[in-house]
Amino acid sequence: MDANDFLAIVETNPVIVEILNRAVDLELPDWYLTAGGLFQTVWNHQAGRDPQTGIRDYDFFYFDDSDLSYEGEDAVISRAAALFADMPVDVEVRNEARVHLWYEEHFGSPLRPFLSSEDAIDHFVATTCCFGVRGDPDGARHVYAPHGFDDLEAGIVRPNPRLPMRHVYESKAARWTTEWPALTVLPWE
C-alpha cells in the first residue's frame, strides 16, 4: 500500500470525500482530516464491510497559534458545525495549537505544545492512527503518513512511543478488536 492506494480506499467512504471537499471553505491554516475516520475506513475495506461501519466520529485538526483562546477555537467549531450540519456524522474540530492547555486536566499527563498539525498527528497513541489527509481548492489531496502504510495494510496496531499513555492505548485497542477482530494488537512494552 502507498499513498495513492490509501487515498483510493479512504475515498470509498463518502463522508470522507464530503468533509475534504467542504473543509477547504473553512480556510483554516494547517488542516487535516485525521485518525479513526481514515484508518478505520481502511480496516472496513479490508474486512469487506461498509466503509462507515464502527466509525464514531471524524477528527478534523487545524493549527492556529495566533489565537489560543477557547473563544477563537469555539468560533471555528461553530463555523464547522454549520458547514457539516447536514451530514449524519460528528466532525470533531480542534485547534492543535491549544491542546496543551487542557490535555493534562483531561488525560492526567502534561503535554508539550505541538508545533503543527503534523506534530499532533505524530503523537497519537498508536502508530496506526497517525494519518492525515487534506485537500487544496483545486481538488488535489495530500496524505501525511509518518509511519507509512505497512502496519495499516497488515492490520497491526502498534503503540506509539511518542505518547506513553498505556491505559489509553489499551482501551482503544480493546474497542478496535471488538469491532475489527482480525486486528493484531502489539502489547505495550
Side-chain angles (χ1 to χ4, degrees):
M1 179 183 296
D2 63 17
N4 291 327
D5 298 326
F6 175 78
L7 269 176
I9 293 169
V10 299
E11 288 186 340
T12 65
N13 183 335
V15 170
I16 289 174
V17 173
E18 195 61 28
I19 292 170
L20 290 172
N21 289 343
R22 293 182 189 191
V24 175
D25 294 342
L26 291 170
E27 298 180 337
L28 294 171
D30 191 18
W31 69 267
Y32 281 95
L33 180 62
T34 187
L38 300 175
F39 65 83
Q40 291 167 12
T41 295
V42 173
W43 291 344
N44 284 331
H45 174 80
Q46 292 169 329
R49 301 168 74 188
D50 181 279
Q52 298 175 48
T53 301
I55 299 174
R56 290 185 172 174
D57 58 28
Y58 292 80
D59 296 301
F60 186 91
F61 288 2
Y62 71 100
F63 189 88
D64 183 0
D65 59 358
S66 70
D67 183 357
L68 298 182
S69 70
Y70 169 83
E71 295 76 16
E73 182 181 43
D74 194 50
V76 171
I77 291 170
S78 294
R79 285 180 40 226
L83 182 66
F84 302 124
D86 64 323
M87 296 181 69
V89 297
D90 180 23
V91 180
E92 189 170 300
V93 177
R94 293 292 176 263
N95 181 2
E96 294 303 301
R98 62 180 311 278
V99 170
H100 67 283
L101 300 174
W102 53 262
Y103 192 89
E104 184 171 8
E105 183 177 325
H106 191 75
F107 290 107
S109 297
L111 184 71
R112 70 157 176 78
F114 293 133
L115 305 174
S116 66
S117 286
E118 290 178 352
D119 187 27
I121 292 168
D122 291 346
H123 284 82
F124 281 128
V125 73
T127 58
T128 310
C129 305
C130 299
F131 294 96
V133 177
R134 69 173 162 210
D136 290 338
D138 66 3
R141 304 278 197 240
H142 304 278
V143 174
Y144 181 67
H147 302 284
F149 303 95
D150 291 347
D151 281 354
L152 181 62
E153 185 173 26
I156 295 171
V157 178
R158 182 182 309 275
N160 186 354
R162 296 188 84 175
L163 188 65
M165 295 190 61
R166 180 180 186 159
H167 67 287
V168 175
Y169 173 76
E170 290 175 346
S171 172
K172 285 183 179 285
R175 182 186 97 72
W176 295 335
T177 55
T178 299
E179 189 69 45
W180 296 277
L183 296 174
T184 299
V185 176
L186 300 182
W188 189 271
E189 295 181 17

